[in-house]
Amino acid sequence: MNMFVFILRRLFQTIPVMIGVTLAVFLMMHLIPGDAAKIMAGENANPDQIEQMRENLGLNDPLHIQYLRFVTNAVQGDLGNSIRTSRPVTEEIFSSRFAITVQLALIGTAAAVLLGLVAGIISATRKYSAADVGIMLVALLGLSLPNFWLGIMLIYLFSVNLGWLPVAGWGTWEHMILPAITLGTGGAAIIARMTRSSMLEVLNQDFIRTAYAKGVSDKVVIYKHALRNALIPVVTVVGLQFGGLLGGAVITETVFAINGLGRLIIDSIRAHDFPMVQGTILVCAVLFVLVNFLVDITYRLINKRIDLN
Amino acid sequence: MAKTVKILEVKGLRTSFFTDEGEVKAVDGVDFSLERGKTIGIVGESGSGKSITSLSILRLIEESTGRIVGGEIMFKGENLLQKSKKQMMAIRGNNISMIFQEPMTSLNPTLTCGEQIAESIRIHQKANRKEAWVKAVDMLRHVGIPSPEKRAKQYPFELSGGMRQRVMIAIALACNPELLIADEPTTALDVTIQAQILELIKKLQEEMGTSLMIITHDLGVVAEMCDKVAVMYCGKVVEYADVKTIFTNPKHPYTVGLLNSVPKHDQDYEGDLAVIPGAVPSPFNLPQGCRFAPRCPHARGICREELPELLDSADGDQVRCWIYSEKWEKQEEEVR
Amino acid sequence: MSMTTTTKTLLEVKNLKQYFPIKGGLFGRTVNHVKAVDDISFHVQEGETVSIVGESGCGKSTTGRAILRLDNPYAGEVIFDGENLLGLSKAEMRKKRQDLQIIFQDPYASLNPRQTVSQIIEEALQIQNIVPPKERRKKIADLLQTVGIGTHQMDRHPHEFSGGQRQRIGIARALSVNPKLIICDEAVSALDVSIQAQVLNLLKDLQRKFQLTYLFISHDLGVVRHISDRIIVMYLGKIVEIADKKSLFENPQHPYTIALLSAIPSTNLEKKRERIILKGDVPSPIDPPQGCRFHTRCPFAFDRCRAEQPGLYKVDGEGHQSACHLVENGQIDFSKVPSNH
């Protein structure tokens, strides 16, 4: 199967996922307690105004019609207007917040990958050494520490006590360091453990022995022969991590007072801003699906053997 | 007649693995030698230590589990066990090469065949990328792979088992080594492909003058390929002899038993196969005395008490069995 | 052991086909088939050992699995003891497996590591329910003794046994339900020669004792010559030759069989034979060659072989059959046929 057919097929496979995502987001609006029209019309609205709002929102139409309208509008980039600001939801999302969250997630992923890979390789090549045991202990710690707690501790240490880095906000590279570490730690721990076990498995394989028998040095065996093969399962984890980081961003952005999508969701939920919540979640979900799609293609590019299946 | 030169001489080689249950003496005092341009076969069943012997020669035993604990490996008069790590790297793939049993798993799945051959050339011959590639394609042609330019760019999974083993051979012979160690080179292959590969190894050995060491459990392959044979049992060589002697006049009871228990495709049978009773002893619980004694039809008292030495016979062959010592006649015959 | 004509046919395979679909394209449709077994017919007499030999991918193991319906065949008939197995319901087939047992190459994979040996065999007895529970322990002990495993070992787990012993346990389990036919799929291939000989002798011994019929699937012609009465040679999903042991080894009538026999390294140093080395690899079973499937590698191939698929021609009156156009009019001396390699 060639790459083109694969990409097409993979794209087709995202269709049911997308339908599921939009359906879930759409139904959410109808399942959560409270009357959306009532809330949107404002606290002091009279029944007529509420009925008018319901009519405006199309809430009196059958559910499937509503859903179709929602999807049709969404595809055209119309996710409704925010209740709080009355500006279009898409505008609110894509003006700056989207970029900030994607930036944060990317930096977090980069931190996770860098730390995770280096730690994993050191661990695998020095199996059972003090370094290995230490790294795996730290990794276990990193997995079990809650994000918000780690973030607060980092702020306390580096910003409040040492005064090296800003407490909150977004803008310069100094602002990015603590959130990236907060966000990346969990991923780094998972990637480190994954890299270690994957490397150990690969280092035990016959072709590693072949490489040594050719007179290849340890370094080349590890970085050229082993790592390339060990990375195959790690790539999938990195992709999943990136998706997870979007979720983690909600907490991290709140802790560091960053005006990204995560904070937008929280603020919108507090303000009962339904269209905003709905739109933001939809954008995040689509981003997640897109990232997974890209990961699958990358996976295939590295692992040529998939062709066989 | 020109004096024959020993390219490889293994003396008292001992390799052990250290497990939670204790030390496993996988290779326990192995001696044999190989003359330049000749072929030796190391034969034995699983657990005999034949593969570990071959890995020990290139010092490829994984350090975390095992170690060469004694002996000498003389390659062209120099002891490989005294070489530095760097010196060993310069020898591997250059002076001594190795091919392995599983062509499926012995090639790196993420590198093209050409890259894997070229790597070896670049390490040992200081060739640049382009020169090495040209030579790699040449090697593929040399080992009988059709349209080598195309194949060089392919990944191992795109090739059949037989083709992959040809690529392995191309990697091993790329730097024209003096000694080639082939560990079960055809065991994973079908017979018609095995015949192709054996023929190829023979042809290349003749052209390049390579000395060859074949590790196998297949006595047919030994008969086909080898000049000398070392039969191993439980980490020791029990018989070392000319190929003709092994097949026509084997001395050690284990060799005899092994030959008789192979069902042959070119011989008719009546009744049952001759068998060696029992099974190979556990490496943690080796018998005192001769290790084959519990399964040997001729064993007498001394066999169970004392381990026999490798005895030289008049024709240069060696056998590790009390039957061929002076002490034997003094032993009481046992009714079995 | 020569078969008298009075014995009955226990197993008859008619026009068996096993095609495995290949999914592909945009919507994962079936784009092609792997024709693993492509229209083969043969029979096995009661009490006989018939071997299927061939190289990897020839379809020999697939045939064994298809007979037992471990993979349901694509087409054809499998008549066992007068009954078409392919017409049975799942439940009926499960009951029928009492009569047809299989022994695999890797006994370890087919033994539950958490069960003891006696539990493993008891389970088989339970499923078929032929021995009353009270007598089972005794029956298990007897079975183990029959295959050469001491009763003191019955409460051990599979990992405590060597490869040869595990294969004996597998045999004991197969025997426990008193089967009529045992399919041995590369049953001794993973064993060391000294152990292989013991297990082969055991199989022969059991056959005499229990009037068993074996369908023996193997790539090792030495083993096959030792154990078989009749032999089927397969190549790329087709039967190329069927003959009794003596005719096949002494007077092979298909170029593939001849090449196969000549390719095996012999321990007989005196008897140096002319070796036929086949060129290239076995073609893909997805898109097998037109005409005779062997023509791409055959040293004797001529125009007709490329165009017309040969049937199984009768070579003599004794049931020796070969799928080669050269023997259409009876047996020939292949050493006199000019080779075009």
Side-chain angles (χ1 to χ4, degrees), chain B residues 83-137:
Chain B
K83 299 274 178 199
S84 71
K85 212 174 159 182
K86 235 188 169 143
Q87 287 171 318
M88 272 318 288
M89 270 163 54
I91 290 171
R92 292 183 194 137
N94 192 23
N95 304 96
I96 307 176
S97 281
M98 193 155 176
I99 50 181
F100 300 98
Q101 172 172 1
E102 288 288 340
M104 295 296 240
T105 54
S106 294
L107 291 170
N108 190 329
T110 54
L111 296 173
T112 63
C113 298
E115 282 173 291
Q116 301 194 46
I117 303 168
E119 183 177 37
S120 169
I121 297 166
R122 269 172 45 217
I123 292 171
H124 299 295
Q125 302 191 339
K126 309 282 167 271
N128 66 30
R129 238 165 231 285
K130 211 167 167 196
E131 293 163 351
W133 184 266
V134 171
K135 181 115 198 271
V137 174

Side-chain angles (χ1 to χ4, degrees), chain A residues 71-94:
Chain A
V71 172
T72 319
N73 288 340
V75 167
Q76 290 167 352
D78 178 9
L79 291 170
N81 291 335
S82 162
I83 299 174
R84 269 194 311 160
T85 64
S86 315
R87 292 205 301 164
V89 167
T90 40
E91 206 174 282
E92 284 283 353
I93 292 174
F94 289 104

Side-chain angles (χ1 to χ4, degrees), chain C residues 25-288:
Chain C
L26 214 48
F27 303 102
R29 281 171 298 121
T30 300
V31 287
N32 213 333
H33 285 97
V34 177
K35 300 175 182 85
V37 173
D38 199 5
D39 197 0
I40 66 168
S41 305
F42 63 91
H43 65 92
V44 179
Q45 302 285 105
E46 198 162 53
E48 185 183 34
T49 300
V50 172
S51 290
I52 305 181
V53 297
E55 298 178 286
S56 31
C58 72
K60 56 188 191 299
S61 287
T62 310
T63 304
R65 295 180 62 87
I67 291 169
L68 273 176
R69 284 180 56 188
L70 294 177
D71 303 309
N72 266 327
Y74 183 80
E77 279 177 71
V78 176
I79 297 161
F80 179 78
D81 217 2
E83 194 173 12
N84 186 4
L85 296 183
L86 304 191
L88 297 181
S89 72
K90 268 201 173 142
E92 288 169 323
M93 188 59 211
R94 211 171 304 130
K95 188 84 200 135
K96 203 78 201 168
R97 293 231 170 93
Q98 184 184 325
D99 292 337
L100 299 98
Q101 286 287 309
I102 186 160
I103 308 171
F104 293 105
Q105 170 171 5
D106 179 7
Y108 199 47
S110 59
L111 300 175
N112 183 343
R114 281 189 201 84
Q115 288 182 321
T116 64
V117 169
S118 65
Q119 283 167 341
I120 288 168
I121 296 170
E122 187 165 3
E123 192 176 62
L125 289 173
Q126 233 161 20
I127 291 168
Q128 299 297 350
N129 199 21
I130 37 175
V131 181
K134 274 186 193 157
E135 294 164 33
R136 277 186 196 148
R137 187 94 185 152
K138 165 106 182 41
K139 169 86 177 170
I140 294 165
D142 286 351
L143 276 166
L144 288 174
Q145 207 133 42
T146 314
V147 298
I149 287 186
T151 43
H152 63 284
Q153 293 171 310
M154 56 199 277
D155 295 315
R156 292 190 190 167
H157 292 86
H159 69 88
E160 295 173 79
F161 293 89
S162 67
Q165 284 174 310
R166 277 182 218 143
Q167 198 53 289
R168 287 171 191 267
I169 295 166
I171 294 170
R173 177 173 61 180
L175 281 179
S176 66
V177 293
N178 304 326
K180 292 178 184 152
L181 174 75
I182 297 183
I183 298 177
C184 304
D185 188 357
E186 300 280 10
V188 297
S189 302
L191 306 175
D192 272 323
V193 275
S194 70
I195 306 301
Q196 174 180 286
Q198 295 173 1
V199 174
L200 281 175
N201 285 349
L202 172 68
L203 286 172
K204 274 197 148 180
D205 191 38
L206 294 173
Q207 182 168 44
R208 283 188 289 264
K209 231 184 238 162
F210 300 108
Q211 287 84 46
L212 291 169
T213 307
Y214 290 137
L215 183 61
F216 202 89
I217 295 161
S218 177
H219 70 280
D220 186 330
L221 284 141
V223 168
V224 162
R225 180 161 197 175
H226 178 68
I227 198 140
S228 322
D229 299 309
R230 282 192 307 124
I231 292 151
I232 296 166
V233 184
M234 283 184 76
Y235 182 80
L236 208 53
K238 288 269 183 200
I239 291 177
V240 295
E241 188 162 4
I242 302 183
D244 65 73
K245 171 163 73 181
K246 197 166 157 44
S247 317
L248 191 98
F249 282 97
E250 284 166 16
N251 183 26
Q253 286 292 305
H254 193 285
Y256 176 64
T257 314
I258 295 169
L260 199 59
L261 288 172
S262 85
I264 309 165
S266 170
T267 53
N268 192 334
L269 293 174
E270 267 100 64
K271 213 157 74 183
K272 282 282 171 203
R273 315 126 299 148
E274 187 66 22
R275 167 164 291 172
I276 302 168
I277 294 202
L278 293 178
K279 300 241 162 26
D281 283 311
V282 180
S284 159
I286 298 169
D287 207 2

Side-chain angles (χ1 to χ4, degrees), chain B residues 286-323:
Chain B
L286 288 174
Q288 188 196 3
C290 173
R291 287 172 186 180
F292 187 60
R295 304 175 75 188
C296 182
H298 311 291
R300 293 182 187 176
I302 191 170
C303 303
R304 278 180 276 272
E305 282 147 24
E306 237 179 288
L307 188 73
E309 289 301 310
L310 206 50
L311 302 168
D312 291 303
S313 71
D315 44 8
D317 296 343
Q318 293 175 307
V319 61
R320 191 186 291 278
C321 179
W322 284 119
I323 296 179

